[in-house]
Structure formats: structure tokens, C-alpha cells
Amino acid sequence: MYIKNIPLDTSDLSAAQYAACLLNRGCVIAVPTDTVYGLACLAQNKKAVKKIFQIKQRSNDKPIAICIGSIQELSRYGKIDATITPLLNALLPGPVTLLFEALPYINKSLVSKTNLVGIRMPYHPFMMHVAGMCHAAIALTSANKSSETSCLQVQEFKELWPELDAVFDGGILGAIDPMRLGSTIVDLSVKGSFRIIRYGCALDYVQKHMDLILG
């Protein structure tokens, strides 16, 4: 049941603490990110993840990415090649989703048929605080029904509010519409190579760092 719309002051940690508390209680909330508004819950809470799929009317064969609070946490959820550490430091936090081979204990709803998991570290102060306070991965996907346009302000997904436990309002995200494309998705599951899966809003940024570091 929807609680309330909560305006954000990114310098105020109390809202992030409240969001982390809701997530730890099994709630589904709407949050701002460095690209579009997202729906979030704890990744290992199967009931909450199932609810997100229902809210979005999303097919079960389309997994949801996870959000973490630090680069060091990557190895808790995916198989990471240590040689790409400079690349990870260059890209994260940022508007990218990185694909790695998933470790066995991750909620299977968040893992693709090819056993890949998408991992995000949004460069947004509120989400960075929330992820750090949860001490666990957060399932994170765009706040819209599947096949519909992603949202840059909370009013654009008002129809979903009654199905959420809270909406954290960070105002209008980004000054340009390409932000609606969401994060750029990069497959890093094969050692020594990369593959762009979705162009997203940060393609130039990603390719620049990939070429410099991976050659």
C-alpha cells in the first residue's frame, strides 16, 4: 500500500535511512537514479522481486539488474576478472549496467538464461547512500510498465503509485531526453573483451573508457 510521496534533499541522510528501512522490511519503492526513476526492493527478497515483475507486467524471462554500494561488492554477486579493475574504477559509479557471470546463490529471477547478472552503481547521492545503508544488493529496474517510456519525473508513473510502498521524489532527472534511454549495458562476462548490449544514454562515455583500457 502506497505510503507517501517523499521530496528529497540529497544532503539529508534521513530519507536514505528511511528508504533502506523500507527495503529491509520487504517493501517496493520508487527511487531516482542517475538515468531514470526506478523501482527497487532487496534482491534476495523473492516476494518483493515478484511484486516488481507484477507491477511492471514484465515477462519472467527478462531479468532485473541489481544495485550495489561499492565496487568491492561486485565480487559478491558476479565472477570478476581482477585485470579489469581499472575499467571498473573508471566506469563506476555511473550510468552503466555491467554483465557478469552470476554466482550461484543470487535470486534466479535476477539472472538471465545465460547465467549473467546485471550490476549497477548509479551515480546519484541518494541511491549511493541507500545502497550503502542496506548492506545488501538492491533489485533495480525502471519505474514504468514494460514496453512503456521510462520516466524522468515521478508524475510520469503516477499510475503505479498505489502499488508501491513509497515514492522518493528527486525532481526532474537530467535536462535531456536521451536520459530516458536508461543505462548503457555492457557484457564483461568474457575475459579480455566487451560487448555493448544496449546503447543507453552513456555509449560514448563507455566506449571511450573501454578503448583506453582494453585497447
Side-chain angles (χ1 to χ4, degrees):
M1 179 63 69
Y2 170 63
I3 298 175
K4 56 184 175 180
N5 186 312
I6 304 164
L8 291 181
D9 174 354
T10 55
S11 64
D12 181 5
L13 293 181
S14 62
Q17 291 169 338
Y18 182 44
C21 178
L22 290 174
L23 292 173
N24 286 322
R25 283 166 44 190
C27 295
V28 175
I29 62 176
V31 295
T33 75
D34 55 354
T35 55
V36 298
Y37 274 91
L39 302 180
C41 72
L42 284 194
Q44 293 300 98
N45 188 315
K46 294 182 179 180
K47 183 177 179 180
V49 170
K50 182 178 180 180
K51 183 178 178 181
I52 285 185
F53 275 93
Q54 292 171 340
I55 292 171
K56 286 183 64 70
Q57 299 177 9
R58 186 182 182 92
S59 171
N60 290 330
D61 63 358
K62 294 183 178 179
I64 291 173
I66 64 174
C67 166
I68 59 175
S70 70
I71 292 176
Q72 290 71 29
E73 292 178 59
L74 282 168
S75 59
R76 292 173 55 186
Y77 304 102
K79 293 185 178 179
I80 312 299
D81 175 11
T83 63
I84 67 169
T85 298
L87 176 61
L88 300 179
N89 288 329
L91 294 178
L92 301 176
V96 297
T97 299
L98 305 179
L99 300 181
F100 300 98
E101 184 178 345
L103 294 181
Y105 57 83
I106 298 177
N107 183 346
K108 298 305 178 186
S109 298
L110 309 174
V111 178
S112 72
K113 291 180 180 179
T114 54
N115 198 41
L116 299 182
V117 59
I119 303 180
R120 281 271 276 137
M121 273 186 65
Y123 190 46
H124 188 284
F126 173 74
M127 277 310 298
M128 293 173 74
H129 290 316
V130 173
M133 292 172 181
C134 280
H135 304 294
I138 299 169
L140 182 64
T141 184
S142 59
N144 56 278
K145 291 185 178 180
S146 291
S147 78
E148 293 186 359
T149 304
S150 298
C151 301
L152 296 179
Q153 50 188 314
V154 297
Q155 295 295 328
E156 293 177 343
F157 60 93
K158 193 170 183 177
E159 63 176 309
L160 302 184
W161 291 8
E163 301 180 75
L164 306 175
D165 294 292
V167 174
F168 290 85
D169 186 352
I172 299 175
L173 304 180
I176 53 174
D177 229 33
M179 297 297 287
R180 292 187 192 275
L181 297 174
S183 62
T184 296
I185 301 178
V186 187
D187 185 347
L188 291 174
S189 62
V190 178
K191 185 175 181 179
S193 69
F194 72 93
R195 186 161 60 103
I196 303 294
I197 304 299
R198 182 176 75 188
Y199 286 176
C201 67
L203 180 61
D204 291 344
Y205 167 81
V206 168
Q207 287 184 322
K208 174 184 176 182
H209 287 93
M210 292 292 187
D211 293 340
L212 284 174
I213 295 174
L214 294 182

